[in-house]
Amino acid sequence: MRLPRPFLLLVAFAVAWGLSVPSAHAQATRGSRAPRHSRVDAVFAPWSGKSTPGCAVGVSRDGVVDYARGHGMANLEYGIPLTPRSIFGIASISKQFTAFSIRLLEQEGKLSLDDDIRKYLPEMPVREKPITVAHLLHHTNGLREQGQLLNMAGWRNDDVYTEADILWALTRQRGVNFEPGAEVLYGNAAYTLLAIIVRRASGKSLRVFADERIFKPLGMTDTHFQDDRSEVVPRRASAYAAREGGGWRLKMSNSDHYGAGNLYSTVVDLLKWEQNLLDGRVGGPALVALMQTSGKLNDGTVTGYGSGLRLSEYRGLRTVSHDGMDAGYRTEATLFPDQRLAVVTLCNGSTLEATDLAWKVAEVYLGDVMKDTMPPAVALPETELPALAGAYWSPQTDEVMRLEVKDGALCQVGVPKPFVHIGQGVFRPGESTHVWRFSAPAKAGGPRELSIRDAWPTTRDFIRVSEPLPTNAELAAFVGQYRSDELDTIYTVRIADGRLAIQWSRRDEVMLDAVGGARFLGSLGAVSFTRAASGGVDGLMISNRRLRRLRADRVGPAPQPPAVSTSASGRH
């Protein structure tokens, strides 16, 4: 019997990639594969043209490649299509390889997860309660986010970010987001530090260590950590962001550090790695099991995050996964361990939802055993929604959330996804299972309360801001210069068109919206002004999800703008 050409190509590719392939006598299954493959193709149909970026997609069952195709273009300038061998920056999927390297060193007795990180990073600040290697692995460390620290210190979005830059910022921090082990909060700083720990504990860079101990043994020949953004990478897919008004623009990574990200790979190589998470060919089954063991908080709460891996479920099925987002790359690698199915989607356009696309692919393969776990909508009169709108502040994190009623639905300001009421004052944002729970005031006449629980088990509590908006005279009291010792940066606050604006070195001015009292909100997060015992404004704090209460002390009035000359020479 003559085999069809697509099947022969699949076999040839799989042999070259080192994956198992279906034998010739398994022809009977080809009929079932073709409709399945057509359904996967249909998922990516919007991204399959010659004028758009897209995705490379790979699916394996128990190590046997079932689907591997490219959809869309790897390079729009030269008309190069994506293929299963296109190389992508896989962003935060990188974290599991950094974690695996740490686990290998632990296995060899070269470090302990209970070690204070200062054993390897003596330049980090001494803290009353030490941060351990385990705290870094499980995102329970409390460190402020590295990129946001550098942005607040004057780095622009297109500046190069180096390991030395990140260490400069982290070693200056006196404050943390929370006591180590008290909460779980995803961030990148921890994994940049883990990469340095690998180097200092092993004597080899993470790039070399991972290549020797992980990638070469597994035949992942197209995978490497990148420490030089100017490195030439054959077959690398360019990354793109949508241009306002239509079209695309290049948006490549500007990082010269790795550990939290900056690993480059293909769907082919990542399918080999997903199989290793099943069989432990490298590292052994015990180490692979540790990788998939959740961290815990000080009170014993399970976090749902292992060693660089999210441990969750999708529609009733257990999953081991991670997503990634860097520059124009959007990525997802998901393993359904009980069904021994792996799905990898690597995309090179910032508007592509790699995780959602991976779920749709998984549904093609496992839809018959999946359950409908989405909480159903419960009717709520639209007249009740305005009572829930407003600004909410968290005493826990110092964040501010603003909610509004738009097009008949409750939603977060600036976020188009409407909330769905699921009963008794509880909402979910869109088609997620996150829980936003509104409560009546704890005391008569007090503010309404809100608790938010998303993918992490740590609940954030908020209360509605009840202070009135500041008057023009009260706004003027906040004008001045404020200095952060932790970032060696001065922030200038002024009034512009009746609103507060904040500016710092090398950054564009950020407009602040008043939400009540001394609290404001802008693109950098929440800004809260503080007062001394005398009542005068003495400082400000900047807070967002991954950076809490970064303080700057008031050091003087805002500088006056230069006078405009009215002489003849000044009117040219």
Side-chain angles (χ1 to χ4, degrees):
M1 184 188 325
R2 184 173 179 177
L3 299 179
R5 189 168 181 271
F7 180 76
L8 292 173
L9 288 174
L10 180 63
V11 171
F13 276 136
V15 170
W17 299 334
L19 291 169
S20 302
V21 297
S23 60
H25 70 267
Q27 307 284 319
T29 65
R30 288 202 321 275
S32 62
R33 276 202 310 271
R36 186 166 63 237
H37 290 183
S38 295
R39 289 174 62 194
V40 176
D41 289 344
V43 170
F44 296 90
W47 307 103
S48 295
K50 295 184 178 180
S51 59
T52 177
C55 304
V57 188
V59 182
S60 65
R61 282 177 149 170
D62 203 12
V64 178
V65 61
D66 186 86
Y67 181 99
R69 292 180 186 174
H71 302 271
M73 305 305 289
N75 186 285
L76 295 174
E77 294 169 294
Y78 294 97
I80 301 171
L82 286 166
T83 76
R85 297 193 67 216
S86 297
I87 294 176
F88 295 75
I90 65 172
S92 288
I93 295 177
S94 310
K95 288 181 171 68
Q96 57 202 279
F97 298 96
T98 303
F100 197 80
S101 299
I102 288 287
R103 286 291 190 179
L104 286 172
L105 291 170
E106 178 195 29
Q107 190 180 62
E108 296 167 4
K110 292 184 177 179
L111 58 76
S112 168
L113 296 196
D114 294 328
D115 287 339
D116 184 337
I117 62 171
R118 295 191 71 256
K119 179 177 180 179
Y120 312 97
L121 300 159
E123 60 267 55
M124 290 293 287
V126 177
R127 302 196 182 279
E128 181 180 352
K129 296 194 175 181
I131 297 173
T132 67
V133 176
H135 288 141
L136 298 184
L137 274 183
H138 301 308
H139 296 298
T140 57
N141 48 82
L143 293 171
R144 290 166 171 165
E145 178 64 322
Q146 60 189 31
Q148 292 173 3
L149 287 173
L150 292 179
N151 286 342
M152 295 310 304
W155 269 253
R156 294 171 177 160
N157 292 337
D158 56 356
D159 284 338
V160 176
Y161 290 66
T162 68
E163 181 184 280
D165 296 332
I166 293 167
L167 276 178
W168 172 86
L170 292 177
T171 55
R172 296 181 65 93
Q173 299 304 298
R174 297 189 299 273
V176 291
N177 288 330
F178 50 81
E179 174 188 308
E183 299 181 29
V184 56
L185 178 63
Y186 181 84
N188 292 299
Y191 275 75
T192 298
L193 294 182
L194 286 172
I196 299 171
I197 290 174
V198 169
R199 183 173 72 241
R200 295 180 180 179
S202 72
K204 298 178 180 179
S205 69
L206 175 60
R207 175 169 180 161
V208 172
F209 185 90
D211 189 54
E212 292 178 354
R213 302 294 302 277
I214 306 173
F215 305 143
K216 285 182 179 177
L218 288 175
M220 298 172 66
T221 56
D222 287 325
T223 303
H224 72 280
F225 278 105
Q226 184 166 301
D227 52 7
D228 178 1
R229 68 191 179 98
S230 65
E231 179 180 354
V232 173
V233 181
R235 290 183 278 107
R236 173 167 50 183
S238 297
Y240 298 93
R243 185 182 293 279
E244 189 174 347
W248 301 92
R249 60 185 178 88
L250 280 170
K251 190 172 179 59
M252 299 296 286
S253 175
N254 57 346
S255 299
D256 272 352
H257 63 87
Y258 56 79
N262 239 21
L263 185 71
Y264 283 77
S265 190
T266 66
V267 294
V268 173
D269 276 5
L270 289 177
L271 288 177
K272 298 175 185 177
W273 168 252
E274 294 298 316
Q275 182 62 23
N276 194 65
L277 292 177
L278 288 173
D279 60 27
R281 177 181 148 201
V282 171
L287 189 151
V288 166
L290 287 173
M291 287 283 292
Q292 299 174 54
T293 301
S294 175
K296 294 182 179 180
L297 301 184
N298 296 336
D299 63 4
T301 299
V302 173
T303 66
Y305 195 93
S307 300
L309 293 165
R310 296 185 188 274
L311 311 173
S312 187
E313 66 172 38
Y314 179 73
R315 292 188 56 187
L317 302 182
R318 188 165 64 96
T319 58
V320 176
S321 67
H322 215 292
D323 61 340
M325 179 175 69
D326 181 36
Y329 294 117
R330 300 293 184 268
T331 61
E332 175 68 44
T334 296
L335 176 68
F336 292 83
D338 299 328
Q339 291 73 33
R340 303 181 73 81
L341 180 87
V343 179
V344 178
T345 53
L346 305 181
C347 308
N348 65 332
S350 64
T351 59
L352 283 88
E353 300 287 349
T355 299
D356 289 346
L357 292 168
W359 295 145
K360 290 178 181 179
V361 173
E363 287 168 358
V364 170
Y365 285 81
L366 302 174
D368 57 337
V369 294
M370 288 180 171
K371 301 175 183 177
D372 185 2
T373 58
M374 187 64 62
V378 175
L380 183 70
E382 187 178 335
T383 55
E384 296 187 23
L385 297 179
L388 306 178
Y392 291 77
W393 168 71
S394 172
Q396 175 186 358
T397 68
D398 205 39
E399 294 173 274
V400 172
M401 296 280 188
R402 287 192 301 166
L403 304 178
E404 64 179 350
V405 177
K406 188 176 182 179
D407 298 329
L410 188 68
C411 60
Q412 191 175 345
V413 174
V415 180
K417 188 179 297 182
F419 286 10
V420 178
H421 182 241
I422 57 177
Q424 299 183 329
V426 180
F427 293 75
R428 55 174 167 84
E431 294 303 300
S432 78
T433 55
H434 300 177
V435 174
W436 291 51
R437 185 183 303 275
F438 293 87
S439 303
K443 297 180 181 179
R448 183 179 292 276
E449 298 180 359
L450 165 67
S451 70
I452 301 175
R453 181 164 179 168
D454 50 24
W456 303 101
T458 300
T459 297
R460 293 175 289 154
D461 295 320
F462 293 75
I463 57 176
R464 188 154 63 180
V465 177
S466 57
E467 297 94 335
L469 297 179
T471 64
N472 290 338
E474 289 169 331
L475 279 183
F478 301 129
V479 170
Q481 288 193 311
Y482 300 78
R483 186 179 190 279
S484 165
D485 289 337
E486 291 178 288
L487 292 178
D488 191 22
T489 301
I490 290 179
Y491 304 96
T492 298
V493 176
R494 72 183 187 98
I495 295 177
D497 298 327
R499 300 164 64 194
L500 285 189
I502 185 170
Q503 191 272 332
W504 62 105
S505 177
R506 303 185 71 248
R507 300 290 302 195
D508 293 336
E509 192 167 60
V510 174
M511 302 304 296
L512 301 177
D513 294 323
V515 296
R519 305 191 191 284
F520 297 80
L521 190 62
S523 60
L524 74 172
V527 177
S528 302
F529 291 89
T530 62
R531 296 183 183 274
S534 62
V537 175
D538 66 352
L540 61 79
M541 293 187 298
I542 299 167
S543 300
N544 53 52
R545 182 70 191 276
R546 300 186 190 178
L547 184 151
R548 299 181 189 172
R549 295 184 170 89
L550 177 71
R551 182 169 178 82
D553 294 310
R554 191 170 189 172
V555 294
Q560 295 298 313
V564 178
S565 172
T566 57
S567 65
S569 61
R571 292 198 297 266
H572 291 345

